[in-house]
Amino acid sequence: MTETQKSATLTLNGENYELPIFSPTAGPDVVDIRKLYAQAGVFTYDPGFTSTASCDSTITYIDGDKGELLHRGYPIDQLASKSHYLEVCYLLLYGELPTAAQLEDFETRVTRHTMVHEQMHNFFRGFRRDAHPMATLVGVVGAMSAFYHDSLDVTDPWQREVAAVRLIAKLPTIAAMAYKYSIGQPFVYPRNDLDYAANFLHMCFSVPAEEYHVNPILSRAMDRILTLHADHEQNASTSTVRLASSSGANPFACIAAGIACLWGPAHGGANQACLEMLKEIGTVDRIPEYIARAKDKNDPFRLMGFGHRVYKNTDPRATVLKQSADEVLELLGVDDNPLLQVAKELEQTALNDPYFIEKKLFPNVDFYSGIILEAMGFPTSMFTPIFALSRTVGWISQWKEMIADPQNKIGRPRQLYLGETMRDYIDIEQR
Ligand code: SDX
């Protein structure tokens, strides 16, 4: 953390407290309250951490008002159109775009780690066939710490590097295995002659009985989905990974914690929840009923795939994904799919409705990713596992940054206690 000359004065109970202010390279200044409790005996209060910087970071920056998303300074729309997922992984992990030689070495290292220990196949057979693939993912990724003992020591930079590459390489294999298990088809091994996205599609959709050729437009769309979901500042699941890591837990356990958090419908589970909402709406003529429900304060219903905690005008990822959605739908000729008709009509209705304009609710990344994955033939239960395999590089990059930070210490938020003050135990006869 840099030194600073700026400060804020807090006046409390007649005392003045000088709180240092730090200025970022982009975004709002931060008021350093680390010594506040020791000096003034008070906590700050910020449920949901909407006004709290939990760390300093150099990886990703979001400007919610401008709808900007930068990875190590590079805008997401440029990365989505000019780069590809593994190159973005390198950028997130190491801070700079790779040279051709560095990229080739990184891609080779990832490719050589895509297989999982053969005994891990047994874990899947312990799950019911109808288990949600996210349940399988949480379980099997956490169990990686039972297999890869030579990459558990977070104090060893080499072991951190190996764990990072193993997780990026093996998550697609594990996610594809979870899918194959859920549909009763045999696991498909990764292939070293396919690129990352094509390999994942091949592991999901090929069967031993016949040749499967990956459509380059679909693998490009999949690579774009992975690129657009790779990292996103200190969102709920990334904050979960950081908090789990702050206790010194091994990387596989921390990523399993991130997967568990991402599962929620308000977060990464939104793409599945969005498609299930579209299925519930069913036909275009029922859209007004659901728009009315979304506006009704007494109705907990929310339009899944709309709105964002940080973006207040547009989600730049959604803008890029909308182009991919149009390409994939045209390629697959699913323009007449009733579900996708409802999606297109809902998008237009919400974008032109004064309520949604005023509340700054617009389609987010999950709205379009769900549409593309549906068109590709994935069941909705596989949408969030795909988000998780993409976000693994973001979690791991943030994890590496935190572990290497000399300020790193166990996270321990406080509380505003509103419970009972001390009282004596009452024997059951007197209750
Ligand atoms: C992701 O944090 C990240 O970066 C997450 C993520 C990432 O990459 O990691 O971007 C991925 O999680 C994207 C968001 C996916 N979630 C959904 O699509 C679920 C549906 N959206 C919502 O649940 C909601 O929009 C949130 C949770 C995303 C944001 O909720 P907030 O912070 O409450 O939104 P807000 O403060 O901007 O809400 C403003 C108003 C509120 O009404 P009032 O209290 O002002 O009356 O709009 C309402 C909200 O109730 N509102 C919605 C709505 N989202 C917010 N009303 C109807 N439908 C919605 N989807």
Side-chain angles (χ1 to χ4, degrees):
M1 181 74 77
T2 55
E3 286 306 309
T4 178
Q5 302 308 317
K6 295 197 293 188
S7 69
T9 303
L10 173 68
T11 301
L12 196 61
N13 305 326
E15 293 287 333
N16 287 339
Y17 301 93
E18 289 304 310
L19 303 174
I21 289 179
F22 292 104
S23 294
T25 48
D29 283 355
V30 299
V31 177
D32 182 352
I33 57 164
R34 284 174 291 181
K35 296 189 175 118
L36 180 64
Y37 178 57
Q39 290 172 351
V42 295
F43 296 147
T44 57
Y45 183 65
D46 184 18
F49 311 117
T50 47
S51 299
T52 297
S54 63
C55 61
D56 46 71
S57 180
T58 62
I59 299 173
T60 293
Y61 172 69
I62 298 170
D63 184 318
D65 295 326
K66 295 181 188 168
E68 280 177 4
L69 166 54
L70 308 179
H71 288 321
R72 304 288 191 178
Y74 296 99
I76 191 64
D77 54 313
Q78 292 184 30
L79 292 172
S81 59
K82 298 176 178 178
S83 184
H84 62 275
Y85 181 66
L86 277 189
E87 183 175 76
V88 172
C89 287
Y90 185 99
L91 175 65
L92 290 170
L93 283 167
Y94 306 114
E96 296 296 337
L97 289 170
T99 62
Q102 288 168 331
L103 181 60
E104 184 182 2
D105 168 65
F106 180 69
E107 290 184 334
T108 302
R109 281 190 289 138
V110 171
T111 300
R112 297 279 171 218
H113 278 87
T114 49
M115 288 177 70
V116 297
H117 190 294
E118 196 70 4
Q119 261 190 267
M120 289 187 79
H121 291 204
N122 301 330
F123 279 120
F124 291 86
R125 293 185 174 82
F127 289 93
R128 285 176 38 157
R129 288 278 182 190
D130 59 354
H132 194 293
M134 285 296 277
T136 314
L137 217 58
V138 170
V140 176
V141 170
M144 288 174 76
S145 47
F147 283 84
Y148 301 107
H149 298 122
D150 60 344
S151 57
L152 295 181
D153 178 358
V154 300
T155 63
D156 177 347
W158 182 85
Q159 293 195 40
R160 295 204 295 266
E161 180 66 22
V162 171
V165 171
R166 275 181 169 146
L167 281 158
I168 292 166
K170 297 180 194 305
L171 254 289
T173 308
I174 294 168
M177 291 170 78
Y179 172 53
K180 283 303 203 185
Y181 184 71
S182 72
I183 58 175
Q185 289 187 0
F187 298 142
V188 175
Y189 287 94
R191 279 178 35 181
N192 292 352
D193 62 324
L194 296 176
D195 67 40
Y196 194 89
N199 208 0
F200 176 63
L201 291 175
H202 182 263
M203 288 189 285
C204 288
F205 295 127
S206 75
V207 290
E210 60 187 22
E211 278 297 303
Y212 174 80
H213 298 290
V214 180
N215 182 308
I217 291 181
L218 297 188
S219 61
R220 179 68 188 137
M222 176 54 71
D223 188 274
R224 187 169 284 177
I225 285 178
L226 299 178
T227 299
L228 293 167
H229 288 76
D231 189 46
H232 213 239
E233 281 192 5
Q234 308 310 318
N235 58 82
S237 52
T238 298
S239 300
T240 300
V241 171
R242 279 182 172 259
L243 197 55
S245 308
S246 72
S247 73
N250 75 71
F252 305 111
C254 295
I255 297 305
I259 295 170
C261 177
L262 188 76
W263 196 355
H267 189 16
N271 47 24
Q272 172 176 346
C274 175
L275 262 290
E276 285 163 358
M277 173 190 73
L278 294 174
K279 286 173 182 167
E280 183 187 333
I281 295 174
T283 53
V284 167
D285 62 324
R286 295 186 65 202
I287 288 176
E289 170 197 337
Y290 282 84
I291 293 281
R293 285 187 59 193
K295 297 177 183 176
D296 179 356
K297 282 293 151 225
N298 300 317
D299 189 330
F301 173 77
R302 288 194 164 185
L303 279 184
M304 292 290 111
F306 285 79
H308 197 274
R309 175 57 60 82
V310 176
Y311 292 124
K312 293 310 171 193
N313 284 304
T314 177
D315 181 338
R317 303 167 297 177
T319 307
V320 177
L321 261 189
K322 178 174 169 50
Q323 296 160 13
S324 287
D326 292 342
E327 284 167 21
V328 169
L329 298 192
E330 186 183 346
L331 169 82
L332 298 177
V334 290
D335 249 341
D336 57 351
N337 176 322
L339 202 60
L340 302 174
Q341 289 307 316
V342 170
K344 284 181 177 292
E345 185 64 25
L346 180 64
E347 175 197 28
Q348 289 313 309
T349 306
L351 286 175
N352 296 297
D353 183 297
Y355 175 87
F356 290 94
I357 294 169
E358 184 247 325
K359 296 275 183 191
K360 302 181 184 299
L361 301 176
F362 46 81
N364 57 38
V365 66
D366 293 287
F367 182 78
Y368 295 108
S369 62
I371 289 171
I372 296 173
L373 296 173
E374 165 80 12
M376 285 181 171
F378 283 102
T380 55
S381 60
M382 276 301 291
F383 291 6
T384 310
I386 291 167
F387 192 155
L389 82 85
S390 163
R391 185 56 56 88
T392 293
V393 65
W395 292 330
I396 276 295
S397 302
Q398 301 268 353
W399 167 75
K400 281 181 71 181
E401 180 178 70
M402 188 188 96
I403 299 280
D405 182 346
Q407 293 186 92
N408 174 30
K409 58 186 174 184
I410 190 165
R412 181 41 173 102
R414 305 306 296 271
Q415 64 180 6
L416 169 63
Y417 177 67
L418 298 176
E420 295 286 345
T421 52
M422 189 180 292
R423 53 182 173 163
D424 293 330
Y425 181 81
I426 301 168
D427 292 333
I428 195 161
E429 296 79 17
Q430 274 75 50
R431 288 177 212 157

